[in-house]
Amino acid sequence: MSPTTALSAANLLDVAKEGVKIARSLGADEAEVHVARTELDSVALQKSDIHAATSEEETVAGVRVLVKGAPGFASTNDPARLRAAIEEALAAARCTPSDPTNGFAEPAPITPLPGLYDRRLA
């Protein structure tokens, strides 16, 4: 997958789930992967005329792992390098002092908060 490949919300969740699976298979006791995609459109005006217009897209993945209570973190803006980021996070955890009190929150359902999204802003 190239960094310019557009990822839908469902694809982002699949990337995150796959990242957790890889991290666990490589030795993480616990793992979480946060994947976000941003789009930015910008228009510059000069004397009421369009001077420049740009459009950017970026997908970023952050990986957090625990190995025997030791944390490690890495990130990438190239989904094709997710495994490399996981390996970096694991390497960081393996050279960090262990803390048996470290742990991630247990998964739990999310209760939606109505009224946060306004379609008129889109």
Side-chain angles (χ1 to χ4, degrees):
M1 183 180 322
S2 76
T4 57
T5 302
L7 295 172
S8 70
N11 294 134
L12 295 178
L13 184 57
D14 290 342
V15 169
K17 286 179 179 180
E18 182 63 19
V20 168
K21 204 163 117 179
I22 292 169
R24 296 296 305 260
S25 75
L26 294 176
D29 298 323
E30 297 185 54
E32 67 181 15
V33 177
H34 175 267
V35 185
R37 181 174 175 270
T38 59
E39 296 179 39
L40 174 66
D41 296 318
S42 177
V43 177
L45 300 175
Q46 196 171 54
K47 296 182 182 178
S48 299
D49 289 329
I50 295 177
H51 180 68
T54 60
S55 181
E56 300 175 37
E57 293 180 16
E58 183 177 45
T59 301
V60 178
V63 178
R64 191 168 69 127
V65 298
L66 286 176
V67 177
K68 297 179 184 171
F73 178 81
S75 64
T76 180
N77 64 352
D78 180 354
R81 291 193 36 79
L82 180 60
R83 185 182 180 95
I86 293 166
E87 290 169 351
E88 289 175 26
L90 287 166
R94 289 181 178 123
C95 66
T96 301
S98 179
D99 182 347
T101 63
N102 280 340
F104 296 164
E106 291 296 320
I110 296 172
T111 304
L113 296 174
L116 292 180
Y117 178 73
D118 186 344
R119 290 191 175 275
R120 295 173 298 176
L121 295 175

